[in-house]
Amino acid sequence: MSRFLSERLMNVTPYTPGEQPQDQKYIKLNTNESPYPPSPAVLDAVSRAEVEKLRLYSDPACAELLNTAAKHFGLRPSQIMPGNGSDENLFFALRAFCDEEHPLAYADITYGCYGVWCGLMHIPSRIIPLKEDFTLDPTDYYGLGATIVLANPNAPTGLALPRSAIEGILKANPDNVVIVDEAYVDFGGESCVPLIDQYENLLVVQTFSKSRQLAGARLGLAMGNEKLIADLNRVKFSLNPYNINRLTLKAGQAALEDTAYFDTTRAAIVETRGWTKQELEARGFSVLDSRSNFLFASTIRKDGGELYKKLKEKGVLVRHFDAPRIGSWLRITIGTPDEMRALLKALDEILEV
Amino acid sequence: MSRFLSERLMNVTPYTPGEQPQDQKYIKLNTNESPYPPSPAVLDAVSRAEVEKLRLYSDPACAELLNTAAKHFGLRPSQIMPGNGSDENLFFALRAFCDEEHPLAYADITYGCYGVWCGLMHIPSRIIPLKEDFTLDPTDYYGLGATIVLANPNAPTGLALPRSAIEGILKANPDNVVIVDEAYVDFGGESCVPLIDQYENLLVVQTFSKSRQLAGARLGLAMGNEKLIADLNRVKFSLNPYNINRLTLKAGQAALEDTAYFDTTRAAIVETRGWTKQELEARGFSVLDSRSNFLFASTIRKDGGELYKKLKEKGVLVRHFDAPRIGSWLRITIGTPDEMRALLKALDEILEV
């Protein structure tokens, strides 16, 4: 920390991303990337001719991508805003709809960035514990008088609420924005996008990082009524108008258009998830009912942190959170069937000792 | 504006970027892009194999790019931080080194985003007028007791301060960070990078958008002593740890390594600039002594706004700022010699009428 740093930032605790080793020697099941490459249409869209055009700024309005996304989601372009990853959209939303007097409510066990952003922007956190079994009681969020963010499916648990439960929360908080972070929705959750025209307080955030194989391209979409999206654009155009690069705009558009590839790859992940869950349960693991591209699992036979370390020694990276209530659990990304077989083999070796 | 928007944002005035028409029917001399494509090394670096890897997150530490940049600039990797465009780095710097009690000082005529960011973050602005001839008197910045940002060369004037003048400002403000925005430095300015090891209060920001032909890739570098860079990383990792996409990291590295292409293209622009300046002066224009990839020019024969409009009708886009003191001026990006001949021809037609 330099002696010039603003006092406002001295107590900020930055986010710790999952390990991203650059040597590719691990079976990487720790940051919920897709085991499949982007659609062939994406590979074609990021052509040499498009790379040549990098000399030109990207379209700050992202018009072509918005048109494609609007068609895809049954919305108008003015109801959508792309971000440099869904993280940026979530940050913009918190900047727009929370402040030092307007808190953010979220679960005690959920995506870690919500709390980090509150710290950065001095937004009071109202933390609402999940139930003992990690499920969320929607009525805990009724009439809160706070902006709300819900990851649905939740991370790192993978548990999902039905759309009707979110609708209850929307109705019970008509004067506050409810942000639904649908990073993992394509693997078995129910999206709230169809509710956008009915609830002016609903903001849905999705990402291209998981189900569209574009984690490295950084692209997310915020979707909601036109006024909420105009508010987000006010933040974007006051912060970084050219926030999305040209190639990502092209890649995102191609990924949205190739619905067949999207359906095939997410179905493959859902199938591998089901099979992996059974195999873990057969080994005595507790495994939550995930609707995401990861499993949250624990065993009484070994501590989570220890298991994480042993797996890493055997070349398999998973995610362990050294946090209250979930210290004995591991979050395991669904990879290819071969990768999951390697995980199971490594677990067998570790647990037999 | 929605009824949910934080009061803190109601009076924010977003930045208005230059027009980015997507139909490519204009000779585009309005946003200071390079008329030359990125280096062939960049085209090779953004390969199909790299596009396939988009399924994986980018390295949040940007280690490879930092190593290349450190070698290039004669710094250590810990003295550099990449941003999603230099705009993001500047925003991070203001977030780190200014707050509601710690103002930002900058010129009345300079890059418009400085004021926009102050608005967004409720940072008081201390605006210091340039002299009548648009030059900056360094002594105006002595002992200010404020964080300072200087665009050098300045935009939209193109005028540059020698390194020694900036050094005077650094010495006269030992307890405040001085940010030097060197977006245009490669076209004839003197960089302050060699001063980094001497002044702990110096932060230099550069961009790949102009002299490295990567406006559409979104990449900038902040450079300074390790503690300042650690402060910026604290903001980055609290806001968007994966702020730079994989392909941009690769493109930036290749662009830095191809120094021959960099030198050839910037020399070409400097030569075209000299020639264009003479041609404009021969037509009676006042043209400032630009050290950038644009010219700032005015004529008493026609109002700046009117000239901008007439040029646009003739298919030539330049930038006009409807702002105090510079309403009669145009900022004209240096394109290829052919593009500049087309500009001159259009001007001749407009002014002969």
Side-chain angles (χ1 to χ4, degrees), chain B residues 250-271:
Chain B
K250 285 285 168 197
Q253 213 182 330
L256 276 176
E257 282 165 349
D258 193 349
T259 53
Y261 188 80
F262 171 70
D263 287 334
T264 307
T265 48
R266 64 180 180 154
I269 286 163
V270 168
E271 193 184 325

Side-chain angles (χ1 to χ4, degrees), chain A residues 46 63 99 205 233 235 237 243 290 308 317 326 348:
Chain A
V46 185
D99 56 38
V205 175
N233 271 305
V235 181
F237 280 92
N243 58 335
S290 170
Y308 153 80
L317 267 187
I326 56 171
D348 286 341

Side-chain angles (χ1 to χ4, degrees), chain A residues 120-332:
Chain A
L120 179 65
M121 294 187 272
H122 293 240
I123 296 165
S125 289
R126 188 174 306 177
I127 294 174
I128 301 179
L130 297 176
K131 290 196 286 187
E132 187 72 27
D133 62 356
F134 300 128
T135 58
L136 182 151
D137 181 349
T139 63
D140 286 347
Y141 289 78
Y142 282 13
L144 279 186
T147 302
I148 293 167
V149 61
L150 300 160
N152 191 43
N154 196 13
T157 65
L159 298 177
L161 290 170
R163 186 185 297 140
S164 57
I166 308 256
E167 202 168 356
I169 295 172
L170 286 161
K171 281 182 184 160
N173 294 279
D175 295 325
N176 293 97
V177 175
V178 177
I179 304 164
V180 185
D181 179 353
E182 296 188 347
Y184 300 103
V185 77
D186 296 323
F187 302 103
E190 270 189 306
S191 175
C192 286
V193 168
L195 301 180
I196 283 174
D197 281 330
Q198 291 166 63
Y199 295 96
E200 61 168 338
N201 59 332
L202 169 63
L203 188 74
V204 177
V205 175
Q206 292 197 359
T207 177
F208 286 62
S209 295
K210 320 293 179 184
S211 55
R212 298 185 199 275
Q213 300 92 20
L214 288 175
R218 317 306 304 123
L219 186 62
L221 296 178
M223 297 178 272
N225 83 68
E226 290 186 4
K227 286 186 178 177
L228 292 188
I229 296 302
D231 290 344
L232 296 185
N233 271 305
R234 175 186 283 255
V235 181
K236 163 184 159 152
F237 280 92
S238 302
L239 199 159
N240 198 359
Y242 294 108
N243 58 335
I244 308 188
N245 72 89
R246 292 184 77 93
L247 300 180
T248 292
L249 290 173
K250 285 286 168 195
Q253 213 182 331
L256 276 176
E257 282 165 348
D258 193 350
T259 53
Y261 188 80
F262 171 71
D263 286 334
T264 306
T265 48
R266 65 180 180 154
I269 286 163
V270 169
E271 193 184 326
T272 308
R273 180 183 73 203
W275 167 81
T276 307
K277 183 170 188 280
Q278 283 180 344
E279 291 289 325
L280 288 169
E281 286 171 341
R283 285 158 175 83
F285 277 82
S286 300
V287 188
L288 299 189
D289 178 26
S290 170
R291 303 300 167 98
S292 67
N293 69 339
F294 56 81
L295 288 170
F296 203 48
S298 75
T299 170
I300 48 168
R301 293 161 68 193
K302 212 162 201 93
D303 167 76
E306 174 111 6
L307 205 45
Y308 153 80
K309 264 186 238 156
K310 295 271 183 201
L311 280 169
K312 188 171 177 184
E313 282 167 22
K314 289 185 176 291
V316 181
L317 267 187
V318 300
R319 187 103 202 239
H320 173 253
F321 297 91
D322 192 10
R325 296 184 66 186
I326 56 171
S328 61
W329 293 77
L330 294 180
R331 193 194 67 185
I332 304 164

Side-chain angles (χ1 to χ4, degrees), chain B residues 15-35:
Chain B
Y15 183 69
T16 306
E19 296 156 280
Q20 299 293 1
Q22 298 301 304
D23 51 12
Q24 305 193 6
K25 70 174 192 182
Y26 290 101
I27 292 179
K28 201 167 170 308
L29 307 176
N30 69 328
T31 55
N32 300 340
E33 291 140 332
S34 174

Side-chain angles (χ1 to χ4, degrees), chain A residues 1-6 8-10 12 14-15 17-18 20 22 24 31 33-36 38 43-44 46 48 51-60 84 87-88 91 95-99 116-117 120 174-177 200-201 209-210 213-218 227-228 231 234-235 237-243 245-247, chain B residues 1-6 8-10 12 14-15 17-18 20 22 24 31 33-36 38 43-44 46 48 51-60 84 87-88 91 95-99 116-117 120 174-177 200-201 209-210 213-218 227-228 231 234-235 237-243 245-247:
Chain A
M1 191 184 309
S2 82
R3 63 191 175 91
F4 307 104
L5 185 67
S6 164
R8 286 179 60 84
L9 288 182
M10 290 188 182
V12 165
Y15 183 69
Q20 300 293 1
Q22 298 301 306
Q24 306 193 5
T31 54
E33 292 141 331
S34 175
Y36 304 110
L43 304 190
D44 292 341
V46 185
R48 204 167 165 99
V51 180
E52 280 205 10
K53 288 191 203 152
L54 284 178
R55 74 175 186 86
L56 298 170
Y57 280 101
S58 46
D59 174 16
N84 181 33
D87 279 348
E88 191 181 65
F91 171 82
R95 177 66 299 171
F97 307 121
C98 302
D99 56 38
V116 172
W117 292 318
L120 179 65
D175 295 325
N176 293 97
V177 175
E200 61 168 338
N201 59 332
S209 295
K210 320 293 179 184
Q213 300 92 20
L214 288 175
R218 317 306 304 123
K227 286 186 178 177
L228 292 188
D231 290 344
R234 175 186 283 255
V235 181
F237 280 92
S238 302
L239 199 159
N240 198 359
Y242 294 108
N243 58 335
N245 72 89
R246 292 184 77 93
L247 300 180
Chain B
M1 190 184 307
S2 81
R3 64 190 175 90
F4 306 104
L5 185 68
S6 164
R8 286 179 62 84
L9 288 182
M10 289 188 183
V12 165
Y15 183 69
Q20 299 293 1
Q22 298 301 304
Q24 305 193 6
T31 55
E33 291 140 332
S34 174
Y36 304 111
L43 303 191
D44 292 341
V46 185
R48 205 168 165 98
V51 180
E52 280 204 10
K53 288 190 203 151
L54 284 179
R55 74 175 186 87
L56 297 170
Y57 280 101
S58 46
D59 174 17
N84 182 34
D87 279 348
E88 191 182 65
F91 170 82
R95 177 66 299 172
F97 307 122
C98 302
D99 55 39
V116 172
W117 291 318
L120 180 65
D175 295 324
N176 293 96
V177 175
E200 60 169 339
N201 58 333
S209 296
K210 322 291 180 184
Q213 300 92 21
L214 288 175
R218 316 307 304 121
K227 285 185 178 177
L228 292 188
D231 290 344
R234 177 185 282 256
V235 182
F237 280 92
S238 302
L239 200 160
N240 198 358
Y242 295 106
N243 58 335
N245 71 90
R246 293 185 77 93
L247 300 180

Side-chain angles (χ1 to χ4, degrees), chain A residues 80-122:
Chain A
I80 310 177
M81 192 182 85
N84 181 33
S86 63
D87 279 348
E88 191 181 65
N89 275 335
L90 289 161
F91 171 82
F92 287 168
L94 267 54
R95 177 66 299 171
F97 307 121
C98 302
D99 56 38
E100 303 195 13
E101 285 78 44
H102 296 87
L104 180 71
Y106 52 94
D108 62 337
I109 297 167
T110 191
Y111 183 38
C113 277
Y114 306 147
V116 172
W117 292 318
C118 286
L120 179 65
M121 294 187 272
H122 293 240

